[in-house]
Amino acid sequence: TGGHQKEWKCPHHLLETRVFAKLKSNSVVQAEPLELHFSGFEVGKDYRKILKLVNVSLEVLSVHILPPLTKHFQIKYTKKCRLVPGLAYTVTVNFQPDEWHYFSDNIRIHWKGEENLLVPVHAYPIINDLHIPSHITLPPVPLGQSASHVIPLSCSYPIDFEFQVHCLQIHKAFTVKPLSGIIPANGKTVLKVTFTPLRYGTADITLQLVISQFNSKPVIFTVTGSSSPYLLPR
């Protein structure tokens, strides 16, 4: 075989004739990890992740790796004639963002037989400057008065993020504003929790903050307020 085969390119007819199933695992080729996430990128920078494709079968395989279709994701690997059991392809996946938005594509793996593997690739900006403690305690408040806690929500990206607040544990002594809104691009807004005691004792409210970003994990926190008869009116 000639040296030009080192720059092996996938036959595009595979894309047209094969149906690629998204499999978490199978008995032939296993992807490590199962999907790739480029989270919190900056436009103009280059990012790299490693994907391993392991032959977990008992047979020697001829594996074809079809690269992502979009220009933002590129793959590099050393082509082997055949992949023996227990060995793996090490695929370098490069991501080059030129815009602030969500990118997605797939790496398709094909071998002899009807099973095929689809490895999703995602890239997305995330807000990583939220520092909300899991528990917030307000100072004691006399009956008839209020205490508030302001939680800043900031964004260091040039795009807006929507947010919503859900009350997981409701208490009438608390008000939360706003329950939804926008964290502006390269800016900030605030979430205000106000406690107005209705009786002596302590009270809790548990809130869940959800940011409209891909693969988002909600932030759950509890606010505690208290009042006692020994407090003098302010």
Side-chain angles (χ1 to χ4, degrees):
T1 58
H4 66 280
Q5 291 186 355
K6 291 182 179 179
E7 296 181 2
W8 181 81
K9 294 184 179 180
C10 306
H12 291 290
H13 69 86
L14 285 176
L15 287 177
E16 301 167 3
T17 59
R18 293 283 177 174
V19 176
F20 287 84
K22 183 180 178 182
L23 304 174
K24 289 188 177 180
S25 62
N26 57 71
S27 59
V28 182
V29 175
Q30 184 169 320
E32 300 175 359
L34 301 177
E35 57 184 16
L36 294 174
H37 291 262
F38 293 87
S39 59
F41 62 79
E42 291 185 32
V43 168
K45 290 190 176 182
D46 296 338
Y47 298 88
R48 178 181 300 175
K49 287 188 178 292
I50 298 298
L51 171 68
K52 287 195 174 183
L53 303 172
V54 186
N55 180 358
V56 294
S57 74
L58 300 177
E59 300 181 5
V60 177
L61 297 176
S62 178
V63 177
H64 300 291
I65 304 173
L66 281 69
L69 299 178
T70 55
K71 66 177 182 178
H72 303 97
F73 301 103
Q74 298 176 346
I75 65 172
K76 293 180 181 179
Y77 65 97
T78 302
K79 172 66 178 172
K80 299 179 176 69
C81 292
R82 297 201 298 173
L83 191 63
V84 301
L87 292 189
Y89 273 117
T90 298
V91 182
T92 301
V93 184
N94 291 300
F95 171 56
Q96 298 175 317
D98 56 3
E99 293 182 85
W100 294 100
H101 65 77
Y102 163 66
F103 299 89
S104 68
D105 211 320
N106 297 287
I107 299 171
R108 299 163 177 83
I109 299 93
H110 166 72
W111 58 92
K112 184 179 179 181
E114 295 305 317
E115 273 193 308
N116 299 282
L117 190 64
L118 191 70
V119 179
V121 185
H122 306 279
Y124 42 89
I126 59 171
I127 293 182
N128 51 16
D129 2 24
L130 295 179
H131 302 289
I132 303 177
S134 59
H135 195 273
I136 299 168
T137 301
L138 299 176
V141 186
L143 290 182
Q145 295 196 26
S146 300
S148 297
H149 185 82
V150 173
I151 300 169
L153 305 177
S154 60
C155 172
S156 58
Y157 289 108
I159 52 175
D160 296 339
F161 285 89
E162 295 181 2
F163 71 89
Q164 287 187 336
V165 180
H166 305 283
C167 297
L168 303 182
Q169 177 185 320
I170 300 175
H171 197 287
K172 293 181 179 180
F174 289 92
T175 57
V176 182
K177 293 182 179 180
L179 291 177
S180 63
I182 291 177
I183 305 174
N186 291 319
K188 67 178 181 179
T189 186
V190 297
L191 183 65
K192 187 176 182 180
V193 182
T194 301
F195 172 62
T196 306
L198 305 175
R199 59 182 63 88
Y200 297 126
T202 61
D204 297 313
I205 186 172
T206 301
L207 303 172
Q208 181 186 64
L209 173 66
V210 180
I211 308 292
S212 61
Q213 58 191 16
F214 185 81
N215 208 34
S216 174
K217 294 181 180 180
V219 179
I220 298 176
F221 59 99
T222 299
V223 181
T224 299
S226 64
S227 181
S228 76
Y230 305 105
L231 298 172
L232 296 175
R234 298 176 185 176

